[in-house]
């Protein structure tokens, strides 16, 4: 993709200005829809490490657009709330980048059972993005279930509102807890 971008920029000279306007249109559209957020994502840090929370864009962005915005830090034992749109991608990492994962929430659509949506209105995906280290699986705990997610792999789950997903490092230390809330409900619970 980088080669195509370079070639189109060099051959026409128009690709860079067009990319700028597409990006600006996407950002303004996204900001304009801020009142229409679809859920609140709650990020809580474990009791030992502070976390950085980065917004990485939305799945609806034009292909090839990379975006990374620090939207907050979460002190050890603290919480951060992000009103979000389905498909928004967030990266959670500790301060020395030795622990990282990505989380994305979607509406539960495309399932054959109508009762699935009523019971589990959200799909949530956790991805272990630690490619640069020796095998460092992360552990995802939801209810009584545990699953190890190897480097570069993802785990999908249907979920209801307010169910915690605990994310642990390979040593079993609680690093973060994630919950999906309907808009307006998260602040009432805190």
């Amino acid at each position: 993709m980088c080669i195509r971008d370079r070639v189109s920029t060099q051959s026409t000279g128009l690709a860079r200005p067009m990319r700028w306007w597409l990006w600006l249109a996407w950002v303004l559209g996204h900001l304009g829809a801020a009142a229409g957020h679809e859920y609140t994502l709650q990020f809580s840090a474990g009791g030992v490490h502070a976390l950085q929370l980065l917004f990485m864009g939305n799945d609806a962005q034009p292909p090839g657009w990379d975006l990374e915005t620090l939207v907050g830090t979460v002190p050890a034992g603290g919480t951060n709330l992000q009103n979000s749109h389905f498909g928004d991608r967030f990266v959670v990492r500790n301060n020395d980048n030795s622990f990282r994962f990505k989380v994305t929430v979607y509406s539960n659509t495309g399932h054959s059972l109508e009762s699935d949506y009523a019971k589990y209105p959200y799909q949530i995906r956790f991805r272990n993005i630690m490619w640069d280290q020796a095998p460092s699986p992360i552990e995802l705990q939801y209810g009584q279930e545990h699953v190890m997610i190897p480097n570069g792999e993802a785990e999908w789950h249907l979920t209801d509102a307010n169910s915690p997903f605990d994310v642990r490092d390979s040593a079993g230390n609680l690093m973060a807890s994630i919950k999906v809330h309907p808009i307006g409900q998260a602040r009432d619970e805190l």
Side-chain angles (χ1 to χ4, degrees):
M1 186 163 349
C2 292
I3 294 171
R4 188 183 78 216
D5 287 346
R6 259 186 269 147
V7 170
S8 64
T9 301
Q10 292 172 354
S11 63
T12 66
L14 296 175
R16 205 172 286 287
M18 288 178 69
R19 288 179 64 146
W20 169 252
W21 286 109
L22 284 172
W23 177 82
L24 182 60
W26 179 84
V27 168
L28 292 176
H30 200 70
L31 292 176
H37 286 114
E38 296 160 310
Y39 65 94
T40 300
L41 201 53
Q42 177 181 327
F43 298 89
S44 300
V48 178
H49 298 281
L51 299 173
Q52 297 175 355
L53 178 60
L54 296 105
F55 174 69
M56 304 299 287
N58 185 284
D59 286 350
Q61 283 177 258
W65 290 98
D66 292 329
L67 171 68
E68 180 178 293
T69 305
L70 179 67
V71 293
T73 56
V74 187
T79 297
N80 183 298
L81 300 173
Q82 294 293 317
N83 289 335
S84 303
H85 297 275
F86 292 124
D88 282 355
R89 299 180 304 256
F90 293 92
V91 166
V92 179
R93 60 184 174 208
N94 63 354
N95 288 334
D96 68 1
N97 287 326
S98 63
F99 178 82
R100 303 178 302 282
F101 69 93
K102 183 169 34 173
V103 62
T104 309
V105 175
Y106 302 91
S107 176
N108 178 10
T109 57
H111 290 276
S112 59
L113 299 176
E114 286 294 322
S115 62
D116 277 354
Y117 182 80
K119 189 172 180 182
Y120 303 110
Y122 307 107
Q123 293 181 38
I124 189 166
R125 178 181 66 192
F126 292 87
R127 179 174 296 279
N128 180 345
I129 59 172
M130 295 185 287
W131 284 88
D132 56 335
Q133 301 176 13
S136 300
I138 61 174
E139 179 183 351
L140 180 64
Q141 178 184 354
Y142 46 98
Q144 299 301 315
E145 301 293 323
H146 296 259
V147 64
M148 299 303 283
I149 306 173
N151 297 47
E153 298 293 319
E155 183 75 17
W156 289 80
H157 289 277
L158 297 178
T159 187
D160 58 356
N162 310 319
S163 292
F165 288 84
D166 292 336
V167 184
R168 300 175 186 277
D169 64 13
S170 58
N173 300 312
L174 177 63
M175 300 298 286
S177 184
I178 310 292
K179 288 184 183 179
V180 182
H181 300 281
I183 287 294
Q185 186 178 21
R187 294 195 191 285
D188 296 340
E189 290 186 7
L190 294 179

